[in-house]
Structures are given as C-alpha cells and as structure tokens.
Amino acid sequence: MPENTDAIKTIYEQVCSAHNEISEFRAKLLALLPIASGTGIFLLLSEKVATEATTHLIAVGMFGGLITLGLFLYELRGIHRCHALRECGKTLEKGLMQESCTGVFTSEQASVLKGFVGVTWAALIIYPTLIGAWSYVASVGFFGYGASFRIEFITSVGVTLFFMVGGKIVINLQGRQLHSS
C-alpha cells in the first residue's frame, strides 16, 4: 500500500502544480489585458489621433476585439481545465487524507454571493467588457466622431452583454460535460 500512496502523492503534486500554473497565467491576463487595452483605447480616441485616423478605427477596433475574443476563448478553456483539476485534486485528497483532514481542494471556501465573486465571474466581466470597448472603437470609426454617442454606446453594451451571456453558457456546458464523464 505505501507504493500506491507514493504514486498518488506524485500525481497529486502534478495536479497541484498544473492548477497553480494555469491559475497564475489566468490572473496575469486578467490584470494586464484591461490595462493594455484601456491605454490603447484611450490613446486611439485622443483628439490628435482621432482627427487623423478615424477611418482606421474600424480595423483597429475589430483587430483589438478579435484578439480579446481569442484570449476570452482561451480563458474559458482555462476555467474548464482548472475546474477539472480541482475535481481530480478533491478525489486524490480523499484517497490520501484522513477524514478529519482537508487539503487544498477539499477546503475551498464557500462561494461568496452565490458564486458571483471569484475568478470565473471576473473573467465573464473583464473579457466581454473589453470586447465591447473595442467594438466602441470600431463604431466610432464607422459612424465618425460626433455622429451619435447613443449608437456607439448601445453597440458596445450589446456586444458586452452578448459575450457575458455566451461565456456563462459555455462555462455551464463545460461543467455539465465534466460531471457527465
């Protein structure tokens, strides 16, 4: 039996390491992407650039939005992988620990505000909001400055909500898939 326990410990350490690496990378993206995008959008919409390059804002906005969408899809995959690793870690901990002990995965805190506060919801807010912001840039390029702030704003909000809801649907489908296998 000690040989089996050593093998489980080795697997458990690998699961912990993989989970930590993915979580760390996701946290860096969640922190840096809004700063980089916000700075870029601010500079693009500044008055000097605005008067000289309005027609290019459509392409730049679409480019920024698509890059952010790609990172959002990568984030959704990271959420799925972290969830799978947590489930695996819980199973391994149950095999390694005594009933009175808890490990990294079995001692997770209860969700705050029914799960709304956490890295998953942060991703569901940050990425869609940035995609919406880039759609705003494209809308300014399409409609021009001073056309109608309402159209640009409504477009941006609509895009943001679409990707928030879409991301939540994907996460729910991934969770069902994980639990059915």
Side-chain angles (χ1 to χ4, degrees):
M1 195 66 162
E3 295 170 14
N4 189 20
T5 302
D6 289 341
I8 293 173
K9 284 181 183 178
T10 301
I11 294 168
Y12 178 73
E13 289 170 4
Q14 292 173 347
V15 167
C16 288
S17 177
H19 183 270
N20 290 340
E21 288 171 12
I22 294 169
S23 294
E24 185 177 324
F25 181 74
R26 289 174 57 211
K28 286 178 184 176
L29 272 179
L30 282 173
L32 295 176
L33 190 61
I35 294 168
S37 291
T39 302
I41 290 169
F42 174 78
L43 292 174
L44 283 170
L45 297 179
S46 69
E47 288 185 37
K48 182 178 179 185
V49 174
T51 57
E52 298 171 7
T54 303
T55 57
H56 299 290
L57 291 178
I58 297 169
V60 172
M62 289 177 63
F63 177 77
L66 287 172
I67 295 297
T68 307
L69 175 60
L71 291 171
F72 183 46
L73 295 174
Y74 188 77
E75 172 70 10
L76 291 174
R77 178 68 177 135
I79 289 169
H80 180 68
R81 291 189 70 204
C82 278
H83 186 69
L85 287 166
R86 281 193 302 273
E87 292 299 314
C88 180
K90 286 178 185 177
T91 301
L92 292 169
E93 285 175 355
K94 288 176 185 173
L96 287 172
M97 308 270 180
Q98 299 172 357
E99 289 184 30
S100 61
C101 296
T102 59
V104 174
F105 299 108
T106 54
S107 66
E108 289 183 348
Q109 300 291 325
S111 64
V112 177
L113 294 176
K114 298 187 179 190
F116 190 74
V117 176
V119 71
T120 298
W121 273 102
L124 288 173
I125 292 170
I126 291 172
Y127 286 98
T129 301
L130 291 174
I131 295 168
W134 284 112
S135 72
Y136 179 83
V137 171
S139 295
V140 168
F142 185 77
F143 296 111
Y145 281 97
S148 174
F149 174 74
R150 284 181 285 156
I151 292 172
E152 296 148 351
F153 181 74
I154 290 169
T155 301
S156 177
V157 169
V159 167
T160 299
L161 292 174
F162 174 80
F163 284 104
M164 279 180 167
V165 171
K168 183 63 176 160
I169 290 169
V170 168
I171 289 170
N172 288 342
L173 290 173
Q174 289 173 336
R176 286 189 204 125
Q177 179 187 24
L178 185 64
H179 291 294
S180 67
S181 53

